[in-house]
Amino acid sequence: MIVTTQLCRRCSSEQVRKNGSTGGRAKYQCKACGFQGTLHPAAPARAARYAQVEK
């Protein structure tokens, strides 16, 4: 089983919870700083793929 940890974009806290969806993407709310919005968990994977292609 693969477990991914969602981190807040603003404060990098792990205290996020799902808070609805918009445009087919999940929205999250950070309980530490109150930030609400979508998270980008695919961004690091995409960057790693681009680096592999450039090699």
Side-chain angles (χ1 to χ4, degrees):
M1 176 164 67
I2 298 173
V3 177
T4 58
T5 304
Q6 301 293 342
L7 298 176
C8 176
R9 286 194 300 178
R10 183 181 295 163
C11 69
S12 299
S13 171
E14 292 182 359
Q15 298 179 4
V16 294
R17 68 177 182 97
K18 190 166 173 164
N19 191 30
S21 64
T22 181
R25 296 186 64 189
K27 289 185 354 185
Y28 294 89
Q29 178 182 21
C30 178
K31 299 302 277 180
C33 70
F35 174 78
Q36 292 182 356
T38 58
L39 303 177
H40 302 287
R46 189 178 311 124
R49 217 176 13 214
Y50 288 162
Q52 185 180 19
V53 169
E54 288 176 358
K55 265 187 177 177

